[in-house]
Amino acid sequence: MQRLPSPQFDRLADRIYEAAVVPELWPDVLDAVASLSGAFGGILFAANSQFSGWTASPRIAPMFAEFVERGWATRNPRPARGLSFGAAGFVSDQELFTPEEMDADPTYAYLRSLGLGWCAGRIAVPPSGDMLIFSWERRFVDGPFDRAMLDAMDAIGGHLARAALIAARLGLERARAAAETMRALGLPAAVLSREHRLLLANDLFARFVPSLVQDRRERAVIADPRADALFAQALARLRVVGAPAGAQSLPVPAREGGPPLVLHLAPIRGAAQDVFAAGELLLIVTELTIGATPSASLLQGLFDLTPAEARVARAIAAGRAASEIAREHGVSGETIRSQLRAVFAKTGVSRQAELVRLLSGATLP
């Protein structure tokens, strides 16, 4: 196998620091290192007490997303072994594990099933409390990274660690500034990471933690079980490739004398990812006024209702019968019932009485 001198890696330094302030360049940087090192692809994982996130070169990104989704990232023995090894630079699998350990480990079995299984990795733990993990994965048939290649990659190890730390901190500050802008508009807002945990929240949202949103190890959860079930469905849809990424509104019934709430979910896509670099989902809370029936236009915006569905919901909340609504609008009773079923699905209730209570501020049983 060709052994490349470190100057060829050194020439990537400018591109690495450019990626520090332009996050969308990281996949290309990781891919460039992969090309020089004979790897299939590269991955950058960054985490601290406030957030965690990752990026990867194009070919390996879908595979790593599935690796994370299936829970292999939490079972992967490499990070813990790498930390205990205490190497200052890049290390390979055969330096961390015996062949017998790799053959017996389920994570290695999974990676080999994908045609991978050899890694050149580096872990940086700066005094800031962040953890930065770089990993370049090689196809199993190509054999492991040798020490000469690892030494050559060390030429950019420091650049990578500094640039990744800058990128993580800049991304977090941009997200925090955007959340504070929403605070100035009176919007309680929070950002969820790609692992669906709370990344940050402005002070208006903070008062809903943990009464409304609880940040648990597996993901953020909604305190109300029915609302959390809808929340879990929305998060699952985010993972479906090609699925529409539209906003969604989740109703949360009133609790302990407080008003009912609507939790709006907005996926972070496109240019918004430049602002919320480590985030995937924006959460915004709207409080409904107790004792007042919202207008049809407000209901339409709160629950993503059509104009007809919003009119029906408001009429039902005002205590009117479905037959009366049908006569007033000159439509059949079945049409009103069909619209009402759609309202139930979007507001998370199953009966007219529950809809009335949700919109009037009473607590659901």
Side-chain angles (χ1 to χ4, degrees):
M1 183 179 65
Q2 182 184 14
R3 295 180 176 180
L4 300 172
S6 60
Q8 292 183 260
F9 287 99
D10 265 331
R11 286 195 283 271
L12 293 175
D14 287 346
R15 293 177 63 183
I16 291 170
Y17 286 112
E18 187 180 10
V21 294
V22 186
E24 59 266 28
L25 297 181
W26 273 112
D28 287 341
V29 169
L30 296 170
D31 194 50
V33 177
S35 296
L36 286 176
S37 62
F40 180 80
I43 300 153
L44 163 60
F45 176 82
N48 61 30
S49 60
Q50 295 177 289
F51 81 98
S52 64
W54 62 271
T55 187
S57 55
R59 281 204 301 176
I60 205 170
M63 302 166 76
F64 189 70
E66 186 173 351
F67 185 78
V68 172
E69 182 67 20
R70 293 190 174 188
W72 288 108
T74 60
R75 289 175 275 177
N76 184 8
R78 288 169 170 173
R81 185 66 64 90
L83 282 171
S84 63
F85 190 76
F90 279 94
V91 294
S92 62
D93 300 275
Q94 66 270 30
E95 293 175 322
L96 298 179
F97 302 94
T98 66
E100 293 76 19
E101 286 178 317
M102 286 187 278
D103 290 342
D105 188 85
T107 304
Y108 275 98
Y110 177 76
L111 290 171
R112 291 172 181 178
S113 74
L114 300 177
L116 305 175
W118 297 115
C119 163
R122 178 188 174 104
I123 299 178
V125 186
S128 61
D130 296 77
M131 176 180 288
L132 308 168
I133 300 177
F134 290 92
S135 177
W136 274 270
E137 300 289 331
R138 182 175 281 176
R139 294 185 303 174
F140 188 75
V141 295
D142 293 334
F145 292 84
D146 59 27
R147 175 39 59 186
M149 180 59 71
L150 298 174
D151 290 342
M153 295 174 72
D154 279 335
I156 56 170
H159 300 319
L160 289 169
R162 286 187 289 272
L165 180 59
I166 293 169
R169 290 292 163 165
L170 285 179
L172 190 62
E173 288 307 313
R174 284 196 294 266
R176 182 177 290 112
E180 288 307 311
T181 298
M182 293 181 186
R183 187 222 182 282
L185 299 174
L187 294 174
V191 180
L192 290 190
S193 69
R194 294 186 181 96
E195 290 74 34
H196 299 152
R197 296 192 61 188
L198 276 179
L199 172 61
L200 57 90
N202 62 23
D203 59 347
L204 294 179
F205 192 96
R207 66 190 177 94
F208 295 108
V209 180
S211 60
L212 172 64
V213 179
Q214 300 169 2
D215 193 28
R216 299 183 184 174
R217 182 173 182 178
E218 64 275 15
R219 66 169 174 85
V221 301
I222 310 302
D224 180 79
R226 181 180 296 179
D228 189 62
L230 296 174
F231 185 51
Q233 293 172 15
L235 295 180
R237 281 194 291 272
L238 284 175
R239 296 300 192 194
V240 178
V241 177
Q248 182 168 334
S249 300
L250 307 178
V252 182
R255 301 181 67 192
E256 299 178 357
L261 308 170
V262 179
L263 186 62
H264 304 280
L265 285 60
I268 298 170
R269 295 289 188 268
Q273 291 178 324
D274 295 343
V275 177
F276 301 101
E280 183 175 62
L281 192 67
L282 185 65
L283 306 182
I284 300 173
V285 176
T286 299
E287 295 182 271
L288 299 181
T289 302
I290 294 179
T293 302
S295 66
S297 59
L298 179 58
L299 289 175
Q300 186 178 350
L302 287 175
F303 297 108
D304 305 324
L305 304 179
T306 67
E309 291 165 356
R311 287 194 298 269
V312 170
R314 189 175 191 280
I316 292 295
R320 300 177 64 186
S323 57
E324 181 183 356
I325 302 171
R327 285 195 302 272
E328 179 181 338
H329 293 284
V331 298
S332 68
E334 180 54 38
T335 296
I336 297 299
R337 286 189 289 273
S338 175
Q339 292 170 343
L340 191 54
R341 286 193 293 270
V343 170
F344 287 167
K346 292 180 180 181
T347 58
V349 301
S350 57
R351 296 181 299 170
Q352 291 188 30
E354 292 178 344
L355 180 64
V356 172
R357 289 170 183 150
L358 172 66
L359 300 181
S360 65
T363 303
L364 293 178

